[in-house]
Amino acid sequence: MKQLKVGFFGEDKEENGESVAKVARRQENGAIIKGFNGNDVLVPARPFMRPCALENAGKWKELFADLIRKHGLSNLQIVFEELSKVVEQDIKDSINSVYTPPLSKRTLRNRRKHGNTSDKPLIDTGTMINSVKGKIT
């Protein structure tokens, strides 16, 4: 039986080699990490996956049913490809909608060092948002 998974997968990496899935999980749930100087740094939770799923689950269910009616059960690959595009965009829209909590002064300084003048949480290099994808297995 085929299934669709949409999100972040282990093969996608940040510029520093860290797994995008790990970064996304840390952003979603919050975490305490070691800073550059070895001190503990709080990464506050900035949920985007759970709110996205809660907000869109009904829409996705209806779309899935509509796509099954349109393409039939024998064309699940096409159904999942079309559904995946919608879910991927909804997750990206959810990432783009997060503005709180604001970035720390330390994070803003680090961003400025590599030319990013944005104060938008969850989007620094663009790697995470550009790594949202669906996998059909």
Side-chain angles (χ1 to χ4, degrees):
M1 174 63 75
K2 287 186 181 281
Q3 65 175 310
L4 172 64
K5 295 179 182 181
V6 182
F8 306 93
F9 301 94
E11 66 270 10
D12 294 316
K13 305 287 183 202
E14 291 283 348
E15 292 173 355
N16 65 3
E18 188 174 16
S19 162
V20 174
K22 183 177 179 182
V23 171
R25 192 169 36 257
R26 182 170 56 233
Q27 292 294 336
E28 177 78 14
N29 300 312
I32 296 175
I33 62 170
K34 289 291 181 198
F36 295 117
N37 59 4
N39 293 335
D40 288 344
V41 176
L42 172 66
V43 177
R46 293 186 175 95
F48 60 93
M49 290 292 282
R50 288 170 293 171
C52 181
L54 288 171
E55 181 180 332
N56 293 294
K59 177 181 86 170
W60 297 337
K61 185 177 177 181
E62 287 180 29
L63 177 59
F64 181 69
D66 291 345
L67 291 169
I68 291 290
R69 281 190 287 280
K70 179 179 176 182
H71 298 291
L73 283 172
S74 61
N75 292 308
L76 274 180
Q77 184 73 28
I78 294 168
V79 168
F80 283 151
E81 287 170 2
E82 290 186 28
L83 180 60
S84 179
K85 289 176 188 173
V86 172
V87 177
E88 288 170 35
Q89 189 58 54
D90 287 340
I91 294 170
K92 290 177 181 183
D93 291 346
S94 184
I95 290 170
N96 280 318
S97 74
V98 173
Y99 283 90
T100 59
L103 297 174
S104 70
K105 290 178 182 175
R106 173 184 287 170
T107 298
L108 290 170
R109 275 194 310 274
N110 288 337
R111 281 188 175 194
R112 302 302 183 261
K113 286 178 186 175
H114 66 264
N116 182 347
T117 59
S118 172
D119 62 355
K120 169 73 178 77
L122 301 181
I123 300 177
D124 182 6
T125 63
T127 301
M128 187 175 81
I129 197 167
N130 291 323
S131 296
V132 176
K133 64 183 168 193
K135 280 191 171 185
I136 302 165
T137 57

